[in-house]
């Protein structure tokens, strides 16, 4: 009985990666140097190892050089900061991705801030958060950036609409709300302390679920005709939205998997080529 | 027929300044050096001249050294950045206030970013915005910081409440919303593109008006019992809220003048002493 149209992230990500690969090839030809993304991984958490491998494979497929720095789990914050500073100063590296979350002994924020803003293609630094928030040029956090691309692809203009972001993490909920605000949505942030979540979500023309709680948002919470973006990704390929019931009321909805997820890596690679173009002075790419 | 209790910023600011003066005296005695705020003014805009004079007078009254740098209107961004970098490196200066807005030929953002975050007692840098947004230690923008102090003073706990911020400027609306979010409010940002402002404001347990449009928000927009904070300051001492009609429905309301306004300078001076204490290693102050 699903009525909503699917927002197909897999297909959009594929097209984005094709364009990115063309730009990377062009840039390599013009400058004699391929765009290069450095990935940094501390420890051997299996999920993190898998994510990094996926990102590196996608880089290579797109003609982006992938340089990997694997650090032992016992690496200190100071050592990690040193590695990130060195990469920040290395002219052969255009973008830096620090895989997170990291071990509890690492000061994650200190590590992020050691990434030069012009190489912060994952959009994790204070500077990137502020430029997103103020609508200034800069890199966006990859998942929120991917969400905005999906909305654009499906002709959803946030201006004047009520957008409700459920979740307020530093790299997902908060920047997603700020990007929607910069595009003139009336934005509400909901979270674990929100009293009547269903009532708040029912106000939304655009719902962004980004909280990591399986099927938290049900169809009855969705205003008929709303656009539903599910950035949740929980065990068993389940999103934060109860897909079946929500799809009966939404006009557009992202599937999980195959919605927001694939756009994250596509945005990362696109921003890596952007970074390389800026750093090599090749703005025509 | 006013029923709301007044949130008396003038009185709270006076008490805050008294405490700040005591801390400044203590710090001066312990370190042999008074806390020092550098004010930087480009050009001679009469309102800006007045604001800077007020701030300097308050500094002196609180035992905070005031160092003033007056620059000609024709100062370039580059020259201004140079001045701010020098102050950022000067160990005798603990806080820096760059009076704004500045002439259109100045890249305001580049100037703000030349202020070292640890001296950004006016809370204008990217780093300060991000630390406010992520609930991390750092300086807050002075007016939003003053608003939070007022709420605390009147035992308004934002946790779980609906807060609506009307306005989204970089130094007022956006950080005010982020500070409320960090204190667990469910926060909605409204602005010029919001479609039904009255309906959105009526959802609010806490309204922060920060848009600079005289009497934009009327009593009929206020949910009975709401807390109304008017950070607007328009010609003729008029706020963004129609005080008389709003006071009939609110439980607490800030007057204009005498509400939010006085808290701004109080927060600035308090943060200057905080900065001096940190920079001189005197954390006990």
């Amino acid at each position: 009985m699903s009525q909503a149209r699917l927002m197909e992230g897999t297909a959009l990500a594929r097209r984005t990666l094709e364009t990115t690969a063309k730009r990377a090839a062009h840039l390599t030809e013009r400058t004699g140097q391929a765009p290069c993304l450095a990935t940094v991984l501390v420890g051997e958490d299996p999920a993190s190892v898998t994510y990094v491998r996926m990102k590196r494979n996608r880089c290579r497929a797109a003609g982006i050089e992938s340089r990997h720095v694997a650090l032992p789990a016992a690496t200190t914050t100071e050592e990690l900061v040193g590695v990130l500073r060195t990469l920040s100063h290395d002219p052969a590296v255009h973008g830096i991705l620090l895989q997170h979350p990291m071990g509890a002994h690492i000061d994650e924020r200190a590590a992020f801030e050691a990434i030069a803003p012009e190489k912060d293609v994952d959009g994790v630094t204070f500077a990137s958060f502020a430029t997103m928030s103020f609508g200034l040029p800069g890199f966006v956090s990859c998942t929120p950036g991917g969400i905005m691309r999906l909305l654009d692809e499906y002709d959803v203009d946030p201006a004047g609409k009520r957008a409700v972001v459920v979740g307020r993490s530093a790299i997902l909920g908060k920047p997603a709300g700020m990007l929607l605000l910069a595009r003139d949505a009336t934005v509400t942030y909901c979270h674990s302390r929100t009293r009547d979540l269903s009532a708040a979500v029912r106000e939304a023309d655009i719902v962004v679920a980004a909280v990591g709680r399986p099927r938290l948002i049900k169809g009855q919470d969705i205003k008929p005709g709303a656009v539903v973006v599910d950035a949740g990704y929980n065990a068993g390929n389940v999103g934060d939205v109860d897909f079946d019931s929500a799809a009966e009321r939404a006009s557009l909805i992202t599937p999980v998997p195959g919605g927001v997820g694939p756009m994250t890596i596509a945005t990362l690679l696109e921003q890596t080529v952007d970074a390389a173009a800026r750093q090599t002075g090749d703005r025509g790419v």
Side-chain angles (χ1 to χ4, degrees), chain A:
Chain A
M1 276 280 296
S2 159
Q3 281 148 17
R5 194 171 153 218
L6 284 185
M7 301 174 84
E8 300 183 53
T10 303
L12 176 57
R14 191 188 317 117
R15 292 197 295 281
T16 305
L17 287 168
E18 281 166 12
T19 307
T20 299
K22 276 184 203 150
R23 292 175 61 215
H26 182 81
L27 198 58
T28 306
E29 195 186 307
R30 291 260 287 256
T31 67
Q33 183 187 8
C36 173
L37 176 68
T39 51
V40 178
L41 177 61
V42 181
E44 295 177 351
D45 171 72
S48 293
V49 168
T50 303
Y51 282 131
V52 168
R53 189 188 304 126
M54 276 171 60
K55 289 167 186 172
R56 300 191 68 205
N57 288 343
R58 287 294 168 85
C59 277
R60 282 186 286 253
I64 293 171
E65 190 189 326
S66 166
R67 186 196 294 192
H68 186 56
V69 182
L71 299 170
T75 302
T76 64
T77 299
E78 213 165 45
E79 290 164 342
L80 178 58
V81 162
V83 166
L84 292 164
R85 288 222 174 108
T86 302
L87 292 169
S88 289
H89 285 104
D90 184 341
V93 170
H94 304 113
I96 299 171
L97 172 107
L98 172 60
Q99 187 66 36
H100 55 99
M102 291 167 277
H105 69 289
I106 300 262
D107 178 349
E108 205 166 84
R109 181 45 58 187
F112 285 154
E113 293 307 309
I115 299 171
E118 66 271 20
K119 297 189 180 182
D120 179 26
V121 294
D122 200 27
V124 296
T125 59
F126 283 168
S128 292
F129 180 73
T131 53
M132 279 184 272
S133 299
F134 300 155
L136 297 171
F139 294 116
V140 299
S141 303
C142 290
T143 305
I147 290 170
M148 299 309 289
R149 290 293 296 271
L150 268 172
L151 294 177
D152 285 338
E153 178 72 10
Y154 287 88
D155 294 323
V156 179
D157 180 2
K161 298 212 172 64
R162 294 290 301 252
V164 171
V165 178
V166 185
R168 52 176 166 167
S169 69
I171 57 145
L172 183 40
K174 281 207 182 89
M178 284 290 138
L179 290 173
L180 287 160
L181 183 59
R183 292 280 298 276
D184 294 328
T186 297
V187 173
T188 299
Y189 285 100
C190 294
H191 45 80
S192 56
R193 299 293 301 273
T194 293
R195 271 184 201 150
D196 188 345
L197 179 65
S198 295
V201 172
R202 265 195 297 272
E203 295 163 4
D205 303 304
I206 302 170
V207 179
V208 176
V211 73
R213 289 184 54 192
R215 298 198 181 100
L216 175 69
I217 295 164
K218 319 281 188 202
Q220 66 201 30
D221 305 332
I222 304 297
K223 177 159 113 179
V227 174
V228 176
V229 177
D230 190 350
Y233 187 65
N234 308 294
N237 274 348
V238 171
D240 290 349
V241 175
D242 182 61
F243 182 86
D244 291 340
S245 61
E248 288 187 15
R249 290 168 70 114
S251 60
L252 283 164
I253 188 167
T254 56
V256 175
V260 171
M263 291 305 300
T264 301
I265 292 189
T267 303
L268 175 71
L269 270 56
E270 186 172 52
Q271 294 198 126
T272 301
V273 175
D274 291 341
R278 282 175 212 165
Q279 286 162 47
T280 59
D282 195 330
R283 307 241 167 200
V285 178

